[in-house]
Amino acid sequence: MKTALITGITGQDGSYLTELLLEKGYMVHGIVRRSSTLDRPRLSQQYNDPDVYGKRLFLHYADLSDSTSIRRIIQKTEPDEFYHLAGQSHVGLSFEIPESTCELTAIGTLRIMEILRDQPKPPKFLHASSREIFGTPIVTPQNEETAMNPNSPYGCAKAFATQMVKVYREAHGLFFCNAICYNHESPRRAENFVTRKITLAAVRIKLGMQSELVLGNIDAERDWGYAQEFVEAMWAMLQQDKPDDFVLATGKTHSVREFLGLAFEQLGLDWKKFYRLDPRFNRPADPERLLGDASKAKRVLGWQHKTTLADLAKLMIENDMQQLTD
């Protein structure tokens, strides 16, 4: 039985990855921050299953700024694979809290790699990088060889972490990989991300619980995929004979305006009647034409996206309707 350790296990990607690893027979350990509530909705099924939690799934309290607790957990669990998914991942928010974004996302990653380097048997390590490392890209589409050119504090922090993963891989001979993830959504997406904000608003408007949807620039384009499919590629990366970096993307871009239409269409609503522009939601800098080339992942990992944006909007709308009417 393999053992995996996951940071960000209670997040969107972490919860899908946990399900995948448990299905594959792993022993799964997760690092979580201590909070005033024990509610972990994305892991509720596993957390409340006595045959899983405490037997094949374990949660450990730590913080990315606390190297002592992280080191202790790593030494206790002795993972075969380490998936680092945690960090301050909201791009817009990073302009407001650049210092803590860099501390958690950049230095937090470096801190973990230093601890792993000291282990007698360092685990295979995956860092969830981001399309934001390309920022204002010099070429379109972007692949693993595209130069980094971030234009946000989050992008800068991820670029640092991504480069350090490569340094540790090449300088120390470690099995360290970057999953360069383009936008990936799901019904488990947090409410402060635009796709979930849209689907929740559409359902609330349909149910008479909300009257309008306030957004910033809706002409911004994104390469949107399905999170559940992305974690399958992350796992596949650590099953290879050699460590490497991979872009994970759909290779297609869609505007926020398009997603608005797809989401409201599911409920028979015209989004134009409910949308209101508020410039306060516009980012100080927004990347243009970030389009991923995942041909290497297809060639080496046998991975490619399957879920269309219309399918994704339908999944999210159905989930939000069920949650709000149960």
Side-chain angles (χ1 to χ4, degrees), residues 191 193-215 260 264 267 269-271 273-276 281 317 320 324:
E191 295 180 23
F193 286 82
V194 68
T195 51
R196 189 77 194 290
K197 184 176 181 180
I198 288 170
T199 59
L200 275 171
V203 171
R204 287 169 177 158
I205 289 170
K206 182 69 174 180
L207 296 175
M209 302 166 63
Q210 188 171 325
S211 60
E212 65 177 5
L213 171 59
V214 183
L215 295 171
L260 264 170
F264 276 72
L267 300 169
L269 299 173
D270 181 0
W271 66 269
K273 296 179 180 179
F274 307 100
Y275 161 70
R276 180 166 65 84
F281 289 101
I317 286 288
D320 290 340
L324 291 174

Side-chain angles (χ1 to χ4, degrees), residues 253-286:
T253 58
H254 299 273
S255 67
V256 176
R257 183 188 300 270
E258 287 180 74
F259 189 82
L260 264 170
L262 291 170
F264 276 72
E265 186 180 273
Q266 292 291 326
L267 300 169
L269 299 173
D270 181 0
W271 66 269
K272 298 184 187 70
K273 296 179 180 179
F274 307 100
Y275 161 70
R276 180 166 65 84
L277 170 66
D278 189 335
R280 290 180 303 169
F281 289 101
N282 291 338
R283 294 179 186 172
D286 209 12

